[in-house]
C-alpha cells in the first residue's frame, strides 16, 4: 500500500445540490442558457443520452434499474447556448424510503427546469410506468418534448404509432426519435433546445461538463463497476462513498472508498473468492478514473456492512437526497 502523504491536499466534500457558480464575467454576446430535465421510467436510457448530449461521461450507466439516484447536471455547449441537462432518477412506483426519495427528486428536477424532456424506451412502448408519468406530467407548467429512444432496434411504423398514442395523453411541443447508444438524432435535439432556452449569461464555465464534485463522481464510477460485475448478485441498494482524496506530490491521486452493503453475505459477494472480485472492480474503476482526471490513480476499496443504511438521514444527505419522513 502506498504511504500516506501527510502534506497532501484533502479534497473538500461536495453535494449534488451544490449552489450554482456565479455567471462568468466575460463571454460572447447573445448568450443563452437554460435547464432541461430528462425524465422517464427506469432504464429508458436517460444516463446514456445525457452522456451523448454532453459529449463525455457525467452519469453512470448500468443494466441495473434505478442506477441514477439523484440529480446530475450535464453541461453541453451548442453555439452560443449553454444547455444544462438534468439527469434524474427513473420514475417508478416507490416501495421503500430510498425509492420515495429518488422519485421525489426526479419530479423536483422537472419542476425547476425551463423545459422537460420525457424519454421513452421505444421497444417497451407505452407501459404502465410511462402512463403514470404522463398523468402527472400534464400538470407540469414547463414546455414538454417527447424523445423516443432505442430507435435503432424498433421499426419505424411502430415508432409513429407509439408517438401518436403518447401525444394523446400529453400535448408535446415536439417529438424526437433517437438512439442514445449510437448518438443518432442527438444533434437535432441539441439544435432544438438551443433555440428554446432563454437569453442570459452562461451558468457554468464552458469547459465544465458537470457540476458533480470529483469525489462524488469517483464514487459513482466505482458503483457503476460494482453493478457491472455483480449485476445479478448484488441489490441496487448498495452504495459507495469516497472517504479520502489526496493529490500527491508526483501528480497522482490517492483515493480511499468504502462500499457499503446491508448484510455479511453481501460483503462476501463483493470481496469474492480470495478477494478476486473486489480486485477486478478496483482495477476497472481505477482505469476509468485515471482517464477522467488525466493522472495516475491509487484506489483503495474497503467493504463494510451498514445495516439499514437506507433509513439513515445522514446517508441521504451524502447523496444529495431529501430524507422522506
Amino acid at each position: 500500500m502506498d504511504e500516506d502523504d501527510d502534506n497532501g491536499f484533502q479534497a473538500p466534500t461536495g453535494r449534488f445540490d451544490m449552489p450554482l457558480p456565479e455567471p462568468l464575467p466575460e463571454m460572447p454576446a447573445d448568450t443563452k442558457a437554460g435547464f432541461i430535465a430528462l425524465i422517464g421510467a427506469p432504464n429508458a436510457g436517460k444516463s446514456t443520452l445525457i452522456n451523448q448530449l454532453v459529449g463525455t461521461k457525467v452519469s453512470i450507466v448500468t443494466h441495473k434499474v434505478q442506477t441514477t439516484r439523484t440529480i446530475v447536471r450535464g453541461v453541453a455547449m451548442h453555439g452560443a447556448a449553454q444547455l444544462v441537462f438534468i439527469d434524474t432518477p427513473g420514475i417508478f412506483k416507490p416501495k421503500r424510503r430510498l425509492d420515495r426519495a429518488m422519485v421525489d427528486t426526479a419530479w423536483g428536477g422537472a419542476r425547476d427546469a425551463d423545459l422537460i424532456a420525457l424519454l421513452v424506451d421505444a421497444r417497451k412502448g407505452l407501459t404502465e410506468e410511462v402512463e403514470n408519468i404522463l398523468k402527472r406530467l400534464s400538470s407540469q407548467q414547463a414546455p414538454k418534448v417527447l424523445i423516443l429512444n432505442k430507435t435503432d432496434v424498433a421499426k419505424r411504423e411502430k415508432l409513429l404509432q407509439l408517438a401518436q398514442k403518447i401525444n394523446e395523453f400529453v400535448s408535446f411541443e415536439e417529438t424526437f426519435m433517437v438512439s442514445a447508444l449510437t448518438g443518432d438524432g442527438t444533434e437535432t435535439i441539441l439544435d432544438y433546445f438551443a433555440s428554446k432556452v432563454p437569453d442570459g449569461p452562461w451558468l457554468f464555465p464552458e469547459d465544465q461538463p458537470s457540476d458533480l464534485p470529483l469525489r462524488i463522481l469517483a464514487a459513482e464510477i466505482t458503483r457503476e463497476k460494482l453493478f457491472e460485475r455483480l449485476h445479478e448478485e448484488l441489490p441496487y441498494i448498495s452504495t459507495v462513498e469516497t472517504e479520502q482524496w489526496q493529490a500527491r506530490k508526483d501528480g497522482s491521486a490517492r483515493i480511499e472508498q468504502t462500499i457499503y452493503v446491508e448484510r455479511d453475505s453481501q460483503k462476501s459477494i463483493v470481496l469474492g473468492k480470495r478477494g478476486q472480485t473486489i480486485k477486478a472492480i478496483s482495477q476497472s474503476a481505477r482505469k476509468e478514473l485515471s482517464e477522467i482526471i488525466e493522472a495516475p490513480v491509487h484506489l483503495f476499496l474497503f467493504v463494510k456492512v451498514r445495516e439499514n443504511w437506507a433509513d439513515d438521514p445522514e446517508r441521504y444527505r451524502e447523496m444529495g437526497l431529501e430524507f422522506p419522513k
Side-chain angles (χ1 to χ4, degrees), residues 1-218:
M1 179 179 288
D2 294 335
E3 293 183 3
D4 286 344
D5 182 356
D6 293 334
N7 297 318
F9 171 70
Q10 180 72 44
T13 57
R15 288 281 307 275
F16 282 94
D17 56 350
M18 62 187 290
L20 295 176
E22 291 297 321
L24 299 181
E26 295 182 12
M27 58 187 69
D30 304 322
T31 57
K32 308 177 77 177
F35 292 90
I36 302 104
L38 202 55
I39 67 170
N43 269 14
K46 296 183 298 298
S47 296
T48 303
L49 179 59
I50 202 168
N51 289 340
Q52 280 282 4
L53 294 171
V54 173
T56 190
K57 187 169 190 171
V58 296
S59 192
I60 67 173
V61 180
T62 78
H63 297 295
K64 207 88 167 171
V65 297
Q66 299 135 28
T67 301
T68 301
R69 286 181 176 162
T70 189
I71 287 177
V72 178
R73 298 187 186 100
V75 184
M77 302 303 303
H78 198 69
Q82 186 176 78
L83 310 175
V84 185
F85 291 98
I86 305 170
D87 183 15
T88 62
I91 297 174
F92 55 101
K93 187 175 181 179
K95 298 177 181 178
R96 293 168 290 193
R97 177 175 273 130
L98 178 60
D99 296 342
R100 295 203 308 275
M102 290 161 59
V103 172
D104 289 346
T105 297
W107 283 113
R111 276 195 307 272
D112 298 336
D114 296 296
L115 301 107
I116 300 173
L118 171 64
L119 189 66
V120 175
D121 184 336
R123 293 182 306 176
K124 296 179 181 178
L126 187 56
T127 63
E128 182 181 354
E129 283 180 328
V130 175
E131 282 195 27
N132 289 334
I133 293 172
L134 288 167
K135 290 173 184 176
R136 186 164 174 179
L137 191 59
S138 60
S139 64
Q140 301 294 314
Q141 298 302 311
K144 295 170 274 290
V145 302
L146 171 65
I147 302 175
L148 298 183
N149 185 30
K150 304 183 183 177
T151 57
D152 52 323
V153 291
K155 294 182 179 179
R156 182 165 180 79
E157 182 178 336
K158 178 185 176 182
L159 292 171
L160 295 173
Q161 292 174 349
L162 178 60
Q164 182 178 1
K165 192 180 298 184
I166 293 177
N167 271 273
E168 291 174 0
F169 281 81
V170 175
S171 181
F172 291 95
E173 295 197 353
E174 291 286 344
T175 297
F176 299 96
M177 300 183 184
V178 305
S179 169
L181 189 62
T182 66
D184 184 47
T186 54
E187 195 68 22
T188 304
I189 293 177
L190 290 170
D191 289 340
Y192 177 81
F193 286 133
S195 71
K196 293 296 182 179
V197 292
D199 296 333
W202 294 338
L203 301 166
F204 296 90
E206 59 181 307
D207 59 351
Q208 181 179 327
S210 173
D211 71 341
L212 206 60
L214 267 180
R215 64 189 294 123
I216 302 292
L217 178 60

Side-chain angles (χ1 to χ4, degrees), residues 263-318:
R263 293 190 295 275
D264 283 320
S265 60
Q266 295 168 2
K267 180 178 179 179
S268 300
I269 291 171
V270 175
L271 291 173
K273 189 175 182 180
R274 297 178 181 174
Q276 290 303 304
T277 300
I278 195 168
K279 182 179 179 181
I281 292 167
S282 178
Q283 288 174 340
S284 182
R286 182 170 63 245
K287 181 177 182 294
E288 185 159 334
L289 284 168
S290 295
E291 293 171 355
I292 289 174
I293 71 171
E294 299 180 343
V297 168
H298 308 285
L299 179 62
F300 300 89
L301 297 182
F302 306 91
V303 186
K304 294 182 181 179
V305 176
R306 182 187 273 162
E307 294 183 4
N308 302 319
W309 74 262
D311 294 323
D312 181 357
E314 180 61 29
R315 305 281 70 79
Y316 285 74
R317 284 192 288 271
E318 284 286 336

